[in-house]
């Protein structure tokens, strides 16, 4: 028996989908407007995961350039068949091509193919099923007309096994387990003996989220709901439960015959979804009379799980540091919407990440000069050292950004003092954007030239923002803030928090970042230097 902690993938990894190939497992999650998209994780034991690539890793594959926050890549499914990995997904919103598509690869690390689009097939959350030489695509869409608002159809189409073009009629499989339930989504089909099992989420992605199942003798139906639906949910625990929004599951059979489910769930702080958002969790599944029991004997997604069939989970690294010495960024880094090659470099100044002081503002949809990674924990600290080039204009600013969306984010950035006509004085300014409106939280003066070290420390929704222009000196407090408005419960949307480096200006000049550090838990507390008396200066 082994012990592991949920989530098994820290940071925002919603809508997890999983498959097994031999003794290895592969998992993909939604990434919405971030690039590269659809991360592919590999594991040999289901509890320790390694990021090996992305199914969307070339800007030429898809056009995400005009996709707003919480649009983009929705709810993928990964399956392996005949020596190839297949990932289907839906691209939502933006001015480019939208809809369902398929990408394939023989190596999960890539390269992945250009997309095959499924023309004339509506909805979201596609899933592939390979069965005895036939290929099937299922998904979900709003019922038209629906008997109630949010009623949803789960549909099935057969695909040509060579071209993957839809063939044959559409089959309506399911409209949810409960009358009045909304968003029967994330459907997956599995052959279980001589029956078919349909697994779907229900109730939306908030507190009423749930896992439901139905059965049929043929893949095309008719499907009959399990009388014990929902088979897994935390809706009955109330909005203030520590783990909520449980749903969107996928099943995988281990090599020892045991069954497991990956699913999403959200952890809360005092009844409010944490900044991280929806994360990937793992539960064992047992079978009784052909019916799945999720987390048997408990019926809940637990933060700590003791289970047969897995080893003790390896401890997660308490700290990561990137000195930008490699010729490429590691796989955990993301940009927004595009690859960002024209806006960033790790070779122009070795040992530094260089970001162009781009014209796009954090409140705008566009090619933002931002490089970030998922916030992995509610107790964490991030730090970087930034230096503005001599060509930086008076509107230039660069530093750290905690991003939820265009309308909700936190900035800690070096910039010219707005009241200094000479443009020689600099400040570090903290600003919080909520609902599209930006409020300055505080500022501290720093030396007119040279690098500046910035730090954001997270303790739930309380953040401390600090700066210093001398590595031998103590930290100057810039602001202490409550960032509850950046919770997905408050700000809305489907995405949790990313944190990283940002550069904004008039398109000329650049900002160089010497390093990036991220520590979690007790290490985050220990890495913070003793604080001197506050040097924070109020800014109206």
């Amino acid at each position: 028996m082994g012990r592991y902690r949920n989530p098994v993938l820290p940071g925002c990894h919603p809508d997890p989908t999983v498959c097994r190939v031999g003794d290895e497992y592969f998992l993909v999650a939604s990434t919405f407007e971030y690039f590269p998209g659809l991360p592919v994780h590999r594991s040999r034991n289901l509890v320790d995961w390694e990021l090996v690539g992305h199914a969307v890793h070339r800007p030429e594959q898809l056009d995400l350039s005009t996709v707003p926050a919480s649009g983009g890549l929705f709810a993928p499914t990964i399956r392996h068949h005949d020596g190839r990995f297949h990932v289907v997904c839906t691209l939502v919103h933006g001015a480019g091509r939208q809809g369902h598509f398929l990408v394939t690869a023989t190596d999960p690390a890539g390269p992945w193919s250009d997309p095959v689009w499924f023309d004339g097939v509506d909805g979201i959350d596609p899933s592939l099923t390979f069965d005895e030489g036939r290929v099937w695509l299922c998904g979900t869409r709003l019922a038209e007309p629906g008997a109630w608002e949010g009623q949803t159809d789960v549909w099935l189409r057969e695909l040509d096994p060579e071209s993957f073009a839809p063939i044959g009629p559409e089959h309506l499989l399911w409209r949810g387990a409960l009358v009045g339930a909304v968003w029967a989504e994330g459907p997956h089909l599995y052959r279980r003996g001589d029956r078919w099992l349909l697994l779907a989420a229900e109730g939306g992605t908030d507190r009423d989220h749930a896992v439901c199942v139905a059965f049929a003798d043929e893949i095309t139906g008719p499907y009959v709901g399990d009388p014990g639906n929902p088979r897994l949910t935390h809706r009955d625990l109330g909005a203030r439960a520590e783990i909520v929004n449980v749903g969107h599951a996928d099943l995988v059979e281990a090599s020892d015959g045991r069954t497991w489910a990956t699913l999403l769930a959200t952890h809360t702080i005092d009844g409010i979804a944490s900044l991280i958002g929806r994360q990937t969790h793992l539960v064992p599944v047992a079978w009784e009379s052909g019916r799945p029991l999720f987390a048997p004997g408990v019926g809940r997604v637990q933060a700590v799980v003791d289970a047969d069939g897995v080893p003790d989970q390896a401890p997660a690294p308490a700290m990561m540091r990137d000195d930008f010495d490699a010729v490429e960024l590691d796989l955990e880094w993301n940009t927004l919407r595009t690859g960002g090659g024209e806006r960033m470099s790790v070779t122009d100044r070795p040992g530094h990440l260089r970001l162009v002081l781009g014209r796009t503002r954090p409140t705008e949809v566009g090619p933002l000069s931002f490089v970030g990674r998922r916030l992995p924990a509610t107790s964490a600290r991030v730090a970087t050292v930034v230096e503005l080039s001599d060509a930086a204009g008076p509107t230039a600013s660069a530093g750290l950004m905690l991003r939820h969306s265009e309308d909700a984010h936190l900035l800690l950035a070096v910039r010219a003092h707005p009241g200094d006509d000479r443009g020689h004085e600099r400040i570090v300014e903290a600003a919080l954007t909520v609902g599209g409106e930006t409020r300055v939280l505080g500022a501290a003066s720093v030396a007119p030239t040279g690098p500046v070290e910035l730090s954001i420390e997270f303790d739930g929704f309380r953040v401390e923002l600090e700066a210093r222009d001398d590595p031998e000196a103590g930290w100057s407090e810039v602001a202490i803030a409550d960032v509850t408005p950046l919770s997905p419960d408050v700000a809305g949307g489907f995405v949790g928090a990313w944190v990283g480096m940002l550069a904004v200006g008039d398109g000329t000049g650049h900002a160089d970042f010497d390093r990036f550090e991220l520590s979690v838990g007790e290490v985050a507390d220990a890495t913070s230097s003793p604080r001197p008396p506050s040097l924070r200066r109020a800014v109206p």
Side-chain angles (χ1 to χ4, degrees):
M1 177 173 289
R3 170 171 291 190
Y4 67 90
R5 294 191 62 86
N6 273 317
V8 290
L9 274 184
C12 180
H13 291 93
D15 310 324
T17 173
V18 64
C19 71
R20 178 174 66 87
V21 182
D23 292 328
E24 294 184 319
Y25 304 89
F26 298 89
L27 187 149
V28 179
S30 297
T31 46
F32 301 95
E33 71 268 32
Y34 287 95
F35 184 91
L38 307 183
V40 183
H41 287 83
R42 178 173 57 200
S43 174
R44 295 188 67 86
N45 58 23
L46 287 167
V47 296
D48 301 308
W49 294 91
E50 173 194 13
L51 178 59
V52 296
H54 291 82
V56 175
H57 56 90
R58 301 187 309 277
E60 298 79 14
Q61 288 174 286
L62 300 171
D63 181 8
L64 300 175
S65 62
T66 57
V67 169
S70 288
L73 299 177
F74 277 34
T77 297
I78 184 170
R79 295 293 183 257
H80 186 269
H81 176 72
D82 198 22
R84 297 190 70 85
F85 292 90
H86 301 72
V87 170
V88 287
C89 190
T90 311
L91 174 54
V92 180
H93 301 312
R97 187 166 186 174
Q98 301 176 34
H100 306 302
F101 64 90
L102 163 72
V103 290
T104 65
T106 56
D107 184 342
W112 288 76
S113 71
D114 289 334
V116 173
W117 294 89
F118 300 111
D119 293 323
V121 182
D122 298 330
I124 57 173
D125 297 12
S127 181
L128 272 183
T129 303
F130 295 91
D131 181 64
E132 296 181 346
R134 303 175 77 177
V135 186
W136 302 87
L137 179 75
C138 71
T140 185
R141 63 164 181 259
L142 285 172
E144 293 183 4
W148 57 83
E149 184 177 357
Q151 186 184 25
T152 318
D153 291 340
V154 175
W155 48 261
L156 179 72
R157 291 288 301 273
E158 187 171 4
L159 304 179
D160 182 277
E162 298 297 329
S163 68
F164 292 97
I167 57 176
E170 178 184 278
H171 305 272
L172 180 62
L173 302 187
W174 182 247
R175 283 191 157 177
L178 299 178
V179 174
V182 299
W183 289 111
E185 59 188 11
H188 298 298
L189 291 166
Y190 316 87
R191 181 187 284 276
R192 292 286 305 176
D194 58 356
R195 290 201 301 172
W196 284 91
L197 182 149
L198 168 64
L199 180 69
E202 186 173 290
T205 60
D206 209 324
R207 299 300 191 268
D208 287 338
H209 213 24
V211 177
C212 297
V213 299
F215 301 93
D217 293 330
E218 304 291 338
I219 192 171
T220 54
Y223 282 83
V224 177
D226 190 296
N229 278 326
R231 302 300 290 175
L232 180 66
T233 186
H234 283 203
R235 62 172 60 154
D236 54 311
L237 298 182
R240 299 184 64 84
E242 293 184 1
I243 300 177
V244 296
N245 306 353
V246 169
H248 207 110
D250 196 5
L251 299 177
V252 64
E253 184 176 296
S255 55
D256 63 3
R258 291 184 172 90
T259 304
W260 297 84
T262 58
L263 48 83
L264 67 81
T266 301
H267 291 233
T268 64
I269 301 173
D270 296 328
I272 301 175
S274 77
L275 296 173
I276 300 171
R278 301 175 299 160
Q279 302 181 82
T280 291
H281 294 63
L282 179 75
V283 297
V285 178
W287 298 88
E288 284 189 358
S289 303
R291 303 163 64 191
L293 295 177
F294 295 84
V298 179
R300 301 295 184 197
V301 179
Q302 298 174 298
V304 180
V305 181
D306 294 311
D308 292 326
V310 292
D312 287 339
Q313 187 180 35
M319 183 175 183
M320 68 76 56
R321 172 170 169 151
D322 196 333
D323 289 301
F324 305 118
D325 292 328
V327 297
E328 293 182 346
L329 291 174
D330 74 52
L331 293 174
E332 296 286 355
W333 290 109
N334 296 119
T335 58
L336 277 167
R337 305 180 182 93
T338 63
E342 72 283 2
R343 300 187 304 278
M344 68 181 187
S345 172
V346 289
T347 58
D348 286 354
R349 184 181 178 187
H352 294 75
L353 169 66
R354 175 164 292 181
L355 294 181
V356 172
L357 294 162
R359 296 180 183 274
T360 302
R361 270 45 186 170
T363 54
E364 301 171 336
V365 175
L368 189 67
S369 290
F370 172 73
V371 175
R373 57 204 298 143
R374 295 162 179 83
L375 184 68
T378 58
S379 177
R381 178 179 180 267
V382 296
T384 192
V385 178
V386 58
E387 186 174 1
L388 290 169
S389 69
D390 293 338
T395 63
S397 65
L400 289 170
M401 179 182 185
L402 174 73
R403 183 183 185 275
H404 174 273
S405 64
E406 288 84 59
D407 291 337
H409 50 262
L410 175 73
L411 298 178
L412 179 66
V414 180
R415 55 169 295 187
H417 192 294
D420 182 26
D421 294 335
R422 297 170 300 171
H424 295 309
E425 184 181 349
R426 296 187 305 170
I427 61 171
V428 173
E429 185 178 86
L432 180 66
T433 297
V434 177
E437 296 185 2
T438 300
R439 176 170 60 93
V440 175
L441 304 174
S445 297
V446 291
T449 60
V452 178
E453 190 170 2
L454 305 174
S455 168
I456 304 177
E457 188 165 344
F458 300 87
D459 182 9
F461 295 120
R462 183 181 185 272
V463 296
E464 297 184 18
L465 304 104
E466 299 175 314
R468 62 182 177 184
D469 52 23
D470 181 351
E472 302 301 322
W475 290 92
S476 296
E477 178 189 295
V478 181
I480 297 176
D482 177 6
V483 293
T484 303
L486 304 189
S487 161
D489 275 354
V490 182
F494 302 122
V495 181
W498 263 249
V499 63
M501 293 144 292
L502 172 78
V504 178
D506 60 6
T508 60
H510 58 261
D512 288 339
F513 295 86
D514 184 25
R515 65 177 183 273
F516 180 88
E517 297 174 352
L518 191 157
S519 50
V520 299
E522 295 180 359
V523 174
D525 299 332
T527 56
S528 298
S529 304
R531 295 169 178 78
S534 175
L535 301 178
R536 180 163 56 101
R537 176 169 52 78
V539 176

